[in-house]
Amino acid sequence: MTEDDRSELIAPLDAKRSQVEIRQLVERGQKGDRDALEELYLLHFDRIYGYLHMTVGNRHDAEDLTTQTFLKMLESIAKFRFQAAPFSAWLFRIAHNLAMDHFRAARRWQPEEEVPEPQGSEEASAEEEALQAIGRKSMLELIDGLSLEQQQVLTLKFVFNFGNGETATILGKTEGAVKSLQHRALASLQKQHSRAKR
């Protein structure tokens, strides 16, 4: 994935359409408006494909899972309700579930054990140090050594700019679990970075 591809993924969806416009498109799509459904597809395709490509690691599976994601969107959009998480988080949740099904089918994915959230002051300092020591570009290169769940948390938070609540919704976890995964992932990256500098 080139730097240009990454910057396209990182660009906030709001830059393309406001949340009000997205809501109107969803409401029209729920009534069967094909133009609205096509526009939702076009608006979200690059980010969903990018997330799946980063998650599964190959173009063929990412393309297949992206197609499945939008088919599920078409099947389920009538059930979607605007609540705490935006439409994009709901769509990412579908993509995430399909990716996990893909890994389970291949028997390559093991869920990471949930541990209690770290103490506030330790968490903040470890995150601050890790983020200062590691730039976005080098983080994307280093996350390959992390667990799948840690990779997903960092990707959703730092590449796709989702908050803790939205990331928790997408991954089907609590906000505390997301914070814990993020803390451990960043601490691990900081150790890798320190070893690489020696």
Side-chain angles (χ1 to χ4, degrees):
M1 187 174 289
T2 68
E3 196 60 40
D4 288 339
D5 293 337
R6 286 190 186 125
S7 63
E8 173 63 26
L9 295 175
I10 294 167
L13 190 59
D14 293 347
K16 295 178 184 176
R17 290 293 172 108
S18 73
Q19 290 304 313
V20 172
E21 290 174 303
I22 297 291
R23 185 179 195 122
Q24 290 169 348
L25 287 172
V26 170
E27 289 169 351
R28 285 174 41 209
Q30 289 175 323
K31 294 174 184 169
D33 183 326
R34 292 180 133 196
D35 291 337
L37 292 168
E38 183 178 346
E39 194 145 353
L40 287 169
Y41 168 81
L42 293 172
L43 284 170
H44 293 88
F45 177 85
D46 288 339
R47 288 166 53 93
I48 294 294
Y49 172 79
Y51 169 71
L52 287 166
H53 190 268
M54 292 176 85
T55 302
V56 299
N58 72 72
R59 198 183 87 205
H60 175 74
D61 289 341
E63 288 172 354
D64 183 46
L65 291 170
T66 300
T67 300
Q68 290 180 47
T69 298
F70 286 104
L71 287 173
K72 289 253 186 210
M73 178 194 84
L74 292 173
E75 292 171 6
S76 306
I77 195 166
K79 298 175 192 170
F80 173 74
R81 297 291 174 262
F82 285 94
Q83 295 172 344
F87 179 76
S88 60
W90 177 75
L91 204 52
F92 269 79
R93 174 76 178 156
I94 292 171
H96 169 76
N97 287 342
L98 289 168
M100 293 306 97
D101 289 346
H102 169 80
F103 283 117
R104 284 185 195 105
R107 295 183 181 182
R108 294 183 299 191
W109 183 75
Q110 291 292 321
E112 188 167 312
E113 169 186 329
E114 289 195 20
V115 296
E117 184 178 337
Q119 296 300 316
S121 60
E122 284 180 18
E123 179 184 1
S125 64
E127 287 176 18
E128 286 169 18
E129 289 175 32
L131 288 173
Q132 287 172 0
I134 303 164
R136 176 174 274 156
K137 184 178 175 192
S138 59
M139 183 185 300
L140 288 169
E141 293 166 357
L142 290 171
I143 65 171
D144 284 341
L146 301 175
S147 75
L148 178 61
E149 287 187 324
Q150 289 174 344
Q151 289 178 32
Q152 289 176 328
V153 166
L154 294 186
T155 299
L156 289 168
K157 290 203 63 182
F158 298 110
V159 177
F160 294 97
N161 299 315
F162 283 109
N164 286 337
E166 294 167 339
T167 300
T169 297
I170 292 166
L171 299 178
K173 296 194 169 296
T174 64
E175 283 191 50
V178 165
K179 289 178 186 175
S180 177
L181 284 164
Q182 177 183 327
H183 171 74
R184 287 184 287 147
L186 291 174
S188 176
L189 287 176
Q190 185 180 16
K191 286 177 191 168
Q192 286 180 43
H193 186 72
S194 297
R195 281 194 295 259
K197 287 172 68 173
R198 290 181 193 162

